[in-house]
Amino acid sequence: RVMKSATIPPPRAAAVHPRPRLSTSASSALVLSSIVLAALPRASLAFAPPGGFRRAAASAVAASASRPSSSSSSSSSSSSLLRAELTDRQLQFWEDVEDGLDDVAKVYEKRGLDIERIRAFGKSARGETPPPVGSGPGHQPSEEHVEGLEARPFWDASSDAENFPWAAELEAKSYVIRDEFESVLGAGDGLFAGDSAWQSKVMGGGWSAFRLQRLGVWNVENCKRFPKTYELLRSLDIPLAVRGVCFARQAPGSGVAPHSDGRNFILTSHLGLRVPDGCWIKCGDEERTWEEGKLTTLDTSFEHSTGNPTEGERHVLIVDFWHPGLTEAERAALELVYDLRNRFESGEVPFRTPRSKSKQEGE
């Protein structure tokens, strides 16, 4: 999932949405025969069901459940009603996901690993099962949910070598990142800019980022500005997840409003780089601060918020990574799902009539 060369390679042709790289063991088997890559105009695709679908789905399930029927027929009927709410494009996406998951399962079944929790994740994301329920104060998991993962607002990553074998070394060598960051920041060339209109709406106008990695792919040009940081992160073999790695700035007198990212299978570490006294971060019902050179690790499926009431800027390095409760097979399966999602949303996957619709029309 990271570049293997000791130096940063030349930039490759830019892609609208670069795709995450799958693990070597899985990628050779992930042949999605239904996907034909093509350069198409950007298409809009809602990954989860569109707004309001949950309410409609719940009504459909309730109506179905009220009818007398056998357990198996009731389950099948509910699933069909829920699937009927998906657009043809969404049905196509989920059919391709299931094809890919079948290939992932074949790779790992020889090692005794299964991906049943990821298949259940698909059912949840499609609205075929009830929404997940939070496990404690402030826990707000979304439909993109993996059952059975431990949920807590904060994790002490640097003291937990079993789950986070890279964390203590990252803290020990944090001076490499801090020194390089201060050097680049001191050049005064406008390192930070608003990440996007959406990001500003969610994170507030005082938050901005400089991304080193996004959606599983390193940004070559940005990494050239931070070669030591890039090499250190690459060397630690952190199980980086689909969201990425970035430097984040919080302007004086600003904060991020309470919100949940929803996905319970990704954890986030903030490495403190420049933290004025008085800055805070709240996750669930627990409030902490950052420490320079130390990791603050949280589960952002809990409602969380931040504040910088000081007159100085707060800077951290944000690293998103897979929850340690996921198996290798489950990580590979999730990588496939989000890789495919990016390809659909960028218009790389041509439209085809969903197989389920073709079958119905042929009957």
Side-chain angles (χ1 to χ4, degrees):
R1 285 186 46 77
V2 295
M3 299 176 184
K4 299 299 183 183
S5 58
T7 58
I8 299 175
R12 64 183 182 181
V16 177
H17 285 277
R19 67 193 63 168
R21 297 174 185 139
L22 300 178
S23 60
T24 302
S25 59
S27 60
S28 61
L30 301 182
V31 181
L32 303 179
S33 59
S34 59
I35 299 297
V36 180
L37 299 182
L40 297 179
R42 179 173 175 81
S44 175
L45 170 73
F47 173 57
F53 168 69
R54 276 288 177 189
R55 292 185 293 275
S59 298
V61 171
S64 176
S66 67
R67 303 187 194 104
S69 61
S70 66
S71 175
S72 59
S73 63
S74 175
S75 175
S76 175
S77 175
S78 297
S79 178
S80 298
L81 285 166
L82 292 167
R83 279 182 176 274
E85 298 289 338
L86 298 177
T87 66
D88 284 359
R89 187 65 166 162
Q90 290 170 328
L91 287 171
Q92 178 191 354
F93 168 76
W94 284 110
E95 288 178 355
D96 290 344
V97 165
E98 290 301 322
D99 289 344
L101 292 182
D102 288 343
D103 289 334
V104 174
K106 291 176 183 177
V107 171
Y108 288 99
E109 64 184 1
K110 298 177 182 178
R111 295 168 50 185
L113 299 175
D114 66 62
I115 58 169
E116 292 311 304
R117 291 198 298 184
I118 309 307
R119 294 193 189 278
F121 155 94
K123 292 180 180 180
S124 176
R126 291 190 296 269
E128 295 176 10
T129 55
V133 178
S135 63
H139 194 211
Q140 300 174 6
S142 71
E143 290 86 354
E144 296 176 51
H145 180 77
V146 176
E147 283 291 339
L149 297 179
E150 183 177 358
R152 51 174 126 150
F154 289 101
W155 296 67
D156 295 321
S158 60
S159 60
D160 186 352
E162 180 179 357
N163 286 317
F164 312 98
W166 47 270
E169 186 174 357
L170 179 56
E171 284 193 351
K173 296 181 178 178
S174 62
Y175 65 90
V176 174
I177 299 174
R178 293 170 66 192
D179 290 349
E180 186 171 58
F181 176 77
E182 290 293 344
S183 176
V184 174
L185 193 65
D189 57 354
L191 181 66
F192 290 98
D195 203 43
S196 67
W198 176 87
Q199 199 74 285
S200 296
K201 181 179 179 180
V202 174
M203 305 298 286
W207 190 93
S208 55
F210 183 83
R211 294 191 176 275
L212 300 182
Q213 195 222 55
R214 184 181 176 88
L215 302 175
V217 175
W218 294 98
N219 184 310
V220 175
E221 292 303 315
N222 287 356
C223 286
K224 283 181 177 179
R225 302 183 67 180
F226 293 92
K228 295 179 181 179
T229 297
Y230 161 73
E231 287 296 340
L232 175 58
L233 294 174
R234 182 196 64 81
S235 70
L236 294 177
D237 198 26
I238 302 171
L240 299 174
V242 293
R243 284 198 302 232
V245 178
C246 67
F247 291 105
R249 167 186 175 271
Q250 189 75 61
S254 69
V256 175
H259 69 287
S260 169
D261 297 338
R263 298 168 184 160
N264 73 324
F265 47 88
I266 297 174
L267 299 183
T268 298
S269 276
H270 294 188
L271 178 66
L273 301 175
R274 183 189 289 183
V275 184
D277 289 341
C279 292
W280 56 267
I281 179 169
K282 183 177 181 180
C283 189
D285 60 356
E286 185 176 350
E287 184 174 304
R288 296 188 182 185
T289 188
W290 298 269
E291 294 183 50
E292 294 178 0
K294 299 295 183 181
L295 291 172
T296 299
T297 301
L298 59 152
D299 179 345
T300 59
S301 65
F302 284 83
E303 183 179 78
H304 54 287
S305 56
T306 68
N308 178 7
T310 77
E311 297 181 355
E313 294 185 348
R314 184 232 63 190
H315 298 117
V316 298
L317 177 72
I318 298 179
V319 180
D320 291 324
F321 54 93
W322 298 115
H323 192 293
L326 294 170
T327 67
E328 180 185 340
E330 290 170 335
R331 292 179 188 176
L334 287 170
E335 285 177 347
L336 177 136
V337 172
Y338 287 97
D339 172 49
L340 189 56
R341 174 189 176 177
N342 296 333
R343 293 161 67 184
F344 264 75
E345 291 185 334
S346 63
E348 293 183 41
V349 182
F351 175 80
R352 65 163 173 78
T353 301
R355 292 191 296 268
S356 57
K357 287 290 187 71
S358 297
K359 183 178 179 181
Q360 291 173 6
E361 292 171 359
E363 293 177 347

